[in-house]
């Protein structure tokens, strides 16, 4: 039994380039036929840790945070929508879209890991936000996602009120930041090498091919 290649993906559920990066990585893994040779673990990162519970209009938020004009944002969203479509993921941007606080989503992703459902829940939450126009800080939406992937929703939601579970996520976030991770997605291979951003499929294939050969 060969040792699996461990891939840590540091990301947020409201990060469009994180889902694009993952879909490209997934395609590379599939094209190389190494699905049984890799193990993926999602690591927490909040793009907006200070986001209030009510969220913020996404256009307003991007303008404030990055200084992007409305025209630049429209072009960027169209670009992401086109890239998503090529990878089989639907981005549905709309005028009233709001950026959500994602801390509790990360607490639940830690819970899901114990049951081998982390990737499933991650995909469900990203889809809820980008495709289904849902607020991923709303506990009703989180409950729906947990049920959809076959997890015990009541047990999982109880974690959200556990100081220990919340501390664990904050601690992990701090650890990755201390390792120099300050943008997402950051994809780490066997805790030895890393790439940032949504790299092309060819880049992922080259990296994976070399690591598997070793």
């Amino acid at each position: 039994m060969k040792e699996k290649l461990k891939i840590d993906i540091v990301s947020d559920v409201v990060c469009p380039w994180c889902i694009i990066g993952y879909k490209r990585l997934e395609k590379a893994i599939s094209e190389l036929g190494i699905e049984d040779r890799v193990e993926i673990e999602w690591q927490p990162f909040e793009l907006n840790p200070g986001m209030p519970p009510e969220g913020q209009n996404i256009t307003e938020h991007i303008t404030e945070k990055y200084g992007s004009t409305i025209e630049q944002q429209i072009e960027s969203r169209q670009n992401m929508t086109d890239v998503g479509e090529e990878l089989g993921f639907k981005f549905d941007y709309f005028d009233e879209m709001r950026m959500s606080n994602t801390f509790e989503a990360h607490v639940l992703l830690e819970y899901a890991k114990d049951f081998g459902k982390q990737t499933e829940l991650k995909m469900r939450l990203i889809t809820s936000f980008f495709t289904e126009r849902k607020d991923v800080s709303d506990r009703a939406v989180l409950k729906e996602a947990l049920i959809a992937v076959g997890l015990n929703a009541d047990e999982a939601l109880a974690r959200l009120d556990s100081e220990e579970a919340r501390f664990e996520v904050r601690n992990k976030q701090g650890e990755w930041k201390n390792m120099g991770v300050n943008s997402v997605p950051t994809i780490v291979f066997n805790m030895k090498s890393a790439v940032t951003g949504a790299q092309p499929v060819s880049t992922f294939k080259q990296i994976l091919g070399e690591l598997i050969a070793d």
Side-chain angles (χ1 to χ4, degrees):
M1 182 74 180
K2 289 178 179 170
E3 204 174 303
K4 287 195 175 188
L5 167 63
K6 173 78 186 300
I7 305 174
D8 288 288
I9 307 177
V10 189
S11 71
D12 201 355
V13 299
V14 293
C15 161
W17 290 109
C18 291
I19 182 61
I20 288 170
Y22 171 69
K23 286 289 182 184
R24 287 176 175 168
L25 174 68
E26 186 182 47
K27 197 166 192 284
I29 291 167
S30 170
E31 287 180 8
L32 290 170
I34 55 168
E35 291 92 339
D36 60 338
R37 300 282 309 277
V38 301
E39 178 195 337
I40 290 172
E41 187 173 325
W42 296 89
Q43 303 295 350
F45 187 100
E46 287 174 272
L47 283 169
N48 312 290
M51 184 59 64
E54 69 276 12
Q56 183 184 20
N57 177 276
I58 202 161
T59 305
E60 186 186 292
H61 173 71
I62 300 293
T63 302
E64 264 181 34
K65 189 169 182 178
Y66 304 106
S68 308
T69 64
I70 304 294
E71 291 72 23
Q72 286 170 329
Q73 290 186 53
I74 289 168
E75 190 181 333
S76 171
R77 287 172 195 170
Q78 190 55 56
N79 176 36
M80 283 185 288
T81 302
D82 293 343
V83 174
E85 204 172 311
E86 285 168 26
L87 295 162
F89 184 82
K90 185 185 177 187
F91 285 101
D92 180 18
Y93 284 100
F94 59 106
D95 291 344
E96 293 78 39
M97 189 172 187
R98 296 181 78 75
M99 191 54 83
S100 299
N101 184 295
T102 58
F103 181 73
E104 293 198 338
H106 288 297
V107 174
L108 295 179
L109 285 163
E110 283 299 307
Y111 170 83
K113 186 177 70 182
D114 298 340
F115 302 91
K117 296 265 189 181
Q118 205 187 23
T119 295
E120 268 185 81
L121 184 61
K122 184 85 175 186
M123 292 306 106
R124 181 87 292 284
L125 291 169
I126 291 174
T127 301
S128 294
F129 183 72
F130 283 113
T131 311
E132 299 169 355
R133 303 187 171 194
K134 290 177 181 171
D135 174 5
V136 289
S137 68
D138 182 336
R139 288 194 179 185
V141 170
L142 295 174
K143 182 174 185 175
E144 203 176 77
L146 291 161
I147 292 167
V149 301
L151 286 165
N152 182 326
D154 292 335
E155 183 180 88
L157 291 169
R159 284 276 183 106
L160 300 180
D161 299 314
S162 156
E163 280 309 314
E164 189 183 340
R166 295 175 82 89
F167 174 78
E168 186 187 349
V169 170
R170 297 243 184 262
N171 199 39
K172 275 199 169 185
Q173 286 178 322
E175 284 174 4
W176 287 103
K177 283 204 168 147
N178 289 340
M179 282 188 264
V181 175
N182 51 32
S183 68
V184 288
T186 294
I187 299 171
V188 184
F189 303 92
N190 275 345
M191 291 301 284
K192 288 176 183 167
S193 60
V195 293
T196 57
Q199 298 292 328
V201 175
S202 57
T203 302
F204 282 130
K205 282 176 85 168
Q206 186 185 344
I207 294 166
L208 291 165
E210 287 169 6
L211 289 166
I212 290 290
D214 287 346

